[in-house]
Amino acid sequence: MSWISSSVMGRKGVAHGKPGKTHQLTEEAQGQYYYVYGPYEKPVLRIEPGDIVAAETRDAFGGAIKTTADLPSKVLNFPYVNPQNGPIYVEGAEKGDVLAVHIHSVLPRGPQPAGTTALIPEFGGLVGTAQTAMLNKPLPELVKKMNVTTEGVVFSDRITLPYEPFIGTLGVSPEIEAVLSLQPDYWGGNMDLPDVAPGAVVYFPVQTKGAYLFLGDCHGRQGDGELCGVAVEIPAVATVQVDLIKQWSIPGVRLETESMIMSVGSARPMEDAARMAYRDLIRWMEADYNFTESEAYFLATQAGRLRVGNMVDPKYTVGASMLKTYIA
Amino acid sequence: MSWISSSVMGRKGVAHGKPGKTHQLTEEAQGQYYYVYGPYEKPVLRIEPGDIVAAETRDAFGGAIKTTADLPSKVLNFPYVNPQNGPIYVEGAEKGDVLAVHIHSVLPRGPQPAGTTALIPEFGGLVGTAQTAMLNKPLPELVKKMNVTTEGVVFSDRITLPYEPFIGTLGVSPEIEAVLSLQPDYWGGNMDLPDVAPGAVVYFPVQTKGAYLFLGDCHGRQGDGELCGVAVEIPAVATVQVDLIKQWSIPGVRLETESMIMSVGSARPMEDAARMAYRDLIRWMEADYNFTESEAYFLATQAGRLRVGNMVDPKYTVGASMLKTYIA
Amino acid sequence: MSWISSSVMGRKGVAHGKPGKTHQLTEEAQGQYYYVYGPYEKPVLRIEPGDIVAAETRDAFGGAIKTTADLPSKVLNFPYVNPQNGPIYVEGAEKGDVLAVHIHSVLPRGPQPAGTTALIPEFGGLVGTAQTAMLNKPLPELVKKMNVTTEGVVFSDRITLPYEPFIGTLGVSPEIEAVLSLQPDYWGGNMDLPDVAPGAVVYFPVQTKGAYLFLGDCHGRQGDGELCGVAVEIPAVATVQVDLIKQWSIPGVRLETESMIMSVGSARPMEDAARMAYRDLIRWMEADYNFTESEAYFLATQAGRLRVGNMVDPKYTVGASMLKTYIA
Amino acid sequence: MSWISSSVMGRKGVAHGKPGKTHQLTEEAQGQYYYVYGPYEKPVLRIEPGDIVAAETRDAFGGAIKTTADLPSKVLNFPYVNPQNGPIYVEGAEKGDVLAVHIHSVLPRGPQPAGTTALIPEFGGLVGTAQTAMLNKPLPELVKKMNVTTEGVVFSDRITLPYEPFIGTLGVSPEIEAVLSLQPDYWGGNMDLPDVAPGAVVYFPVQTKGAYLFLGDCHGRQGDGELCGVAVEIPAVATVQVDLIKQWSIPGVRLETESMIMSVGSARPMEDAARMAYRDLIRWMEADYNFTESEAYFLATQAGRLRVGNMVDPKYTVGASMLKTYIA
């Protein structure tokens, strides 16, 4: 039997973590893609807790970078980047609930080379940006295309990297804000966190009636921090199972796999993202795993793990995790 | 003759900095106040460049803190705080233009004690917050009320501070986002910058047709950084003259008084806000004051001034300024 | 009568703020200059509380940049930069005391052009550095020389700036550390804070027997933040009067003028420097000016002022101040 | 044959990575322990490249916390904490060389419970500190003692954690500074990085003749970030083999295991530490692994890993690594 039955989704979900109906959210069904996480658009789909959605996501550039000659500064039209599928209305979801998203699979689609990365002027972790404003000249703009299959990411003639896909941008709508899909925050969004991968269950605090689930920006793989700002961006079919948890209040994104629990923080500077993540992990351990605050603080000190999702987006994202074997 | 004629607004404005018709934006005329800066609401008023708007602003708490017994955690309903007048549609404004806002006056209104400050749990510059997440217990919640007239702010029996009012939150709408009025950004918003005061002209990069001007959150006065997170919050009548500048591209908020020019940056950590402000000041000096980049960099080093607006909001705001006597 | 009699130095100093004997610390008397603040060197001078020292300081480059052709990367030998006069042993000073340094004057000396500023590769507030590590190419190296007299700083043909000198690097020795004179910290050092100017009294927490006072790095003037990293560097005669305060415990540098009190913080990121400064200002107001913590916090919020000294050194320096008229 | 022969130490070391004579640096042989990394003390030992040192290290508290009743604020005497073995003079080492330290083993010693962790007032990642200055009250002081053997760390009745020891503080002397052993920097020091573990080779840029190797502060294990500021602190026998590499210039600490290479950065804010680490990793890949800068930047983006060593010390430490299988 799957570990899902013992997950928070399995134990507390309206659908008890059991899969329901499957919806195909093709490019055609989606129609217009969206560039903000907000409550102001009409849902493209309405689902019940337990339902599965197979979404045809576009890459973060909306497919505009077809060859290495398609320089981002020429083919992109900011802020119309990072197109999202959704919003998906989840029946019964209300502010104060938690939306559980169990990721079944992320599969590449479209013609090869399906993967794109790039150096974009004034964007990235090792260059001056609009915020970390510098007088230095930008690096030359550059595009790299890669063949991406479930067999691997062909980085170069000599290097093929494992295909370790995840969903870069995933979350629910804020209550009254509509925020660029480029930004991560407590409702999810552009976390670019490699743990948001097939097998995981991700939990989001619902802010508005129907939750308004968005997703997009799949990555064939990514290192910690998404250093140059652009992972192995791919168009994909992302299949997720959605459940709804009533009466569970969480301040931000949480995540669970068979082996660990993780709390996620998004903020600048990076230490604040780490603080948010670790504080929430401690509070989770207090609430659900029978720890006092100081014992949880001590255990996080001796056995906690940090994952830097991104160090390039409007807020940096860090996940703090604990192995279930230490706390169960 | 006023210095305004030599300001950017005076020289380049569609109305040449000349005042036009006056509009009364009373509480009644405003009707519903708004909590986000965005393009999704119907304008409450349409004006021509040169027109003057006298807006009855509410205090940041929407007037909910009437006595020291009205604790913020009891009477506020997040995110419905920091109510804004607007949006005001400016005829002819388009993305790529600049909106000039010349502040004529900010006058307190309403019954005394008109001024409110407070210690709000997990908010402020010297306490743990949702982002700078700490395990320490919050400080006790506390409200302080102050009589505020144009004669002064009665801080206590022994201390009366000068009335030095300004508009805490002022700006235009983002293009497709709707962002909490609590946040400052390149379009303005909750900068909490004391230089946004009567006499100044503030310039905003227009992002959307009609500009959608918002304003609110007037302060009877404030120190640098708005340390505890809450200035001398007052309901007020803020009177501003609006002009429109075509063909002037600016990356963020700029400001001008008779004696100086200032560029504004909003970001975290604070050094990034300072970098944004200083880089834009240098570029302004290059473009309009006949400096090379290196000479502007050198002069900013020897004669630039920094003002920390806020060190408490979702982004910190810093202004970098240069005296006109050094560059004219 | 001077305000000094009412200063902390005047009221609590061993010498009651009264000037004693004057010592000439010429280049010759100094002999070897030093590059660290530490207790490991033999004092060059021993003085009594109240004594005055007139020190011939070298500029931050030890005079190595004589013309615009003397590029820093060629003529400087890191870490042998920012040479300091001292250490000066103050009789009676012990760990836990406070050293008061009243700055009488800072006068330029040496042949003209006496002032130097420069763009140094990978150093400065708007470029990638060893810490804010970037892949962007450095800006071209550049030296600028300026005539500097008490009449003014001749920045260019069209711009003469006021001569507003101060001591860039001033402080006492740590207890067991020896730290580069490039770094500011709780014991003083390279704060590059324009308030450390003639007229001010600066207070340092003594860490070691004899205090070991160091000084150097005089500036003809400087803007907030010392943006490019190099102020108007001058060789100077800095004249300071030293007093000793027993039984006054302070956690870092404090400063007093006729009109205000200031606490200084040095840290990264910049908000931490501001937090350190403001927290100590609040504690000072509690201890010596009859405020409760919350009233001091509120008053700092409404009337505090922040000065960014440097945003380029190993730690950024920020001063938080309060006018004496508000608290006396 | 060991991978060591293909390591930088094995290929370029004066001793070719071959072990030489073993030196016992017992508590008695060490005599006085030291609290700064600096060149001002007489070496306790002189060794040749290749030599092995088995050092009896004290725990970070110098053994002063014997029971849970020994509260840090009572038994510690700042800055006399984190005692170090050394300095060890390495024959032939000069500024510009690299010292290679191959860690053979870290074994616990002393009576049980040998492990100590603690909540220390105003210290730790989730509390206000001297730098992240807050007005909140500190958490209660607390000591936890743990049995530590090579079989495991007995965290509590229900939790035994793996024994995964490393050396918390390890490095060489700065050139003219003497810096607290509490601080990490480009010469090493208190990095608190779990990768500095048995099996690894750590590389330090030599700053002074003889290198002056220091070590101490062994940990029975630690989570990422050393969250509360105190790992599983143990007295230990740390056995290291030292080699010397001429003609290899590195800007900071590097590290190598059989499977990966890592560059280390120490700075605040945390993103600067990550930037330092990643930039040096890229430059290492360019210099030694046949990558262009942009290809190295891309590969780090898709396959780099970040480890947060500490988020509590005067500088935060982050390691950026790359699997050898991707680059060999």
Side-chain angles (χ1 to χ4, degrees), chain B residues 43-265:
Chain B
V44 67
L45 185 65
R46 299 177 82 96
I47 66 174
E48 295 286 338
D51 283 4
I52 292 167
V53 178
E56 289 184 351
T57 64
R58 289 192 178 158
D59 73 20
F61 307 114
I65 302 183
K66 293 180 174 58
T67 76
T68 57
D70 292 325
L71 296 184
S73 65
K74 289 180 184 164
V75 301
L76 301 182
N77 178 24
F78 183 85
Y80 302 96
V81 292
N82 201 17
Q84 300 292 301
N85 294 71
I88 299 166
Y89 188 102
V90 181
E91 298 291 347
E94 295 172 303
K95 184 176 179 180
D97 296 343
V98 167
L99 201 72
V101 179
H102 179 37
I103 303 173
H104 285 198
S105 63
V106 176
L107 297 172
R109 67 186 181 96
Q112 297 291 351
T116 306
T117 190
L119 300 187
I120 300 176
E122 304 239 311
F123 182 59
L126 291 182
V127 297
T129 65
Q131 294 192 283
T132 306
M134 299 287 166
L135 294 175
N136 307 89
K137 292 284 170 295
L139 296 186
E141 208 169 350
L142 188 63
V143 169
K144 182 183 178 78
K145 301 289 289 187
M146 294 161 281
N147 275 24
V148 177
T149 68
T150 56
E151 300 299 303
V153 173
V154 183
F155 182 83
S156 68
D157 286 354
R158 62 171 172 153
I159 304 171
T160 295
L161 301 169
Y163 181 69
E164 296 178 332
F166 67 100
I167 303 177
T169 311
L170 176 66
V172 297
S173 174
E175 183 170 357
I176 59 173
E177 289 184 280
V179 176
L180 284 191
S181 59
L182 292 170
Q183 179 172 319
D185 219 313
Y186 61 90
W187 60 76
N190 193 24
M191 301 181 287
D192 289 323
L193 182 70
D195 301 278
V196 181
V201 184
V202 195
Y203 302 103
F204 301 96
V206 175
Q207 307 294 320
T208 192
K209 192 170 158 59
Y212 280 58
L213 177 69
F214 291 90
L215 76 165
D217 187 27
C218 291
H219 294 169
R221 69 168 291 112
Q222 183 199 291
D224 293 348
E226 199 186 22
L227 187 62
C228 82
V230 185
V232 180
E233 310 291 333
I234 55 170
V237 179
T239 303
V240 301
Q241 174 185 336
V242 179
D243 208 334
L244 180 66
I245 300 170
K246 310 295 286 188
Q247 299 172 331
W248 191 33
S249 177
I250 62 177
V253 179
R254 291 179 177 177
L255 184 150
E256 185 180 10
T257 69
E258 184 165 7
S259 63
M260 60 88 166
I261 62 171
M262 175 183 277
S263 290
V264 180

Side-chain angles (χ1 to χ4, degrees), chain A residues 127-140:
Chain A
V127 297
T129 64
Q131 294 193 281
T132 305
M134 299 286 164
L135 295 174
N136 307 90
K137 293 282 171 294
L139 296 185

Side-chain angles (χ1 to χ4, degrees), chain B residues 125-126 224-225 227 270 308 311, chain C residues 185-186 191 193 195 250-255 260-286 296-297 299-301 303-310 315-322, chain D residues 122 129-135:
Chain B
L126 291 182
D224 293 348
L227 187 62
M270 195 188 285
V308 178
M311 52 184 279
Chain C
D185 220 312
Y186 61 89
M191 299 180 288
L193 182 71
D195 301 279
I250 63 177
V253 179
R254 290 178 178 177
L255 185 150
M260 60 88 166
I261 62 171
M262 175 182 277
S263 290
V264 180
S266 293
R268 289 190 179 201
M270 195 188 286
E271 55 264 37
D272 274 2
R275 285 169 175 145
M276 291 173 74
Y278 258 137
R279 182 172 74 169
D280 185 58
L281 181 68
I282 286 170
R283 290 185 172 170
W284 194 355
M285 289 166 68
E286 282 184 78
Y297 194 17
L299 188 61
T301 302
R305 287 290 170 258
L306 288 178
R307 161 87 80 160
V308 178
N310 88 76
K315 296 186 176 188
Y316 305 141
T317 297
V318 174
S321 63
M322 182 59 65
Chain D
E122 305 238 311
T129 65
Q131 293 192 282
T132 306
M134 299 286 165
L135 294 174

Side-chain angles (χ1 to χ4, degrees), chain A residues 73-237:
Chain A
S73 66
K74 290 181 184 164
V75 300
L76 301 182
N77 179 24
F78 184 84
Y80 302 96
V81 292
N82 201 18
Q84 300 292 301
N85 294 71
I88 299 167
Y89 188 100
V90 182
E91 299 291 348
E94 295 173 302
K95 184 176 180 180
D97 296 344
V98 168
L99 201 73
V101 179
H102 179 37
I103 303 173
H104 284 197
S105 62
V106 176
L107 298 172
R109 65 187 182 95
Q112 296 293 350
T116 306
T117 189
L119 300 187
I120 300 176
E122 305 238 312
F123 182 59
L126 291 181
V127 297
T129 64
Q131 294 193 281
T132 305
M134 299 286 164
L135 295 174
N136 307 90
K137 293 282 171 294
L139 296 185
E141 208 168 350
L142 188 62
V143 168
K144 181 184 180 75
K145 301 289 290 187
M146 296 160 280
N147 275 25
V148 177
T149 67
T150 55
E151 301 298 303
V153 173
V154 183
F155 182 83
S156 69
D157 286 353
R158 62 170 171 152
I159 304 171
T160 296
L161 301 169
Y163 181 69
E164 296 179 331
F166 67 99
I167 303 177
T169 311
L170 177 66
V172 296
S173 174
E175 183 170 359
I176 59 174
E177 289 184 279
V179 176
L180 285 190
S181 59
L182 293 168
Q183 179 171 319
D185 220 312
Y186 60 89
W187 59 76
N190 192 25
M191 299 181 288
D192 288 323
L193 182 70
D195 301 279
V196 181
V201 184
V202 196
Y203 301 103
F204 301 96
V206 175
Q207 305 294 320
T208 192
K209 192 171 158 59
Y212 280 57
L213 177 69
F214 291 90
L215 77 166
D217 187 27
C218 290
H219 295 169
R221 68 169 290 111
Q222 182 198 292
D224 293 347
E226 200 187 21
L227 187 62
C228 81
V230 185
V232 179
E233 309 290 335
I234 53 170
V237 179

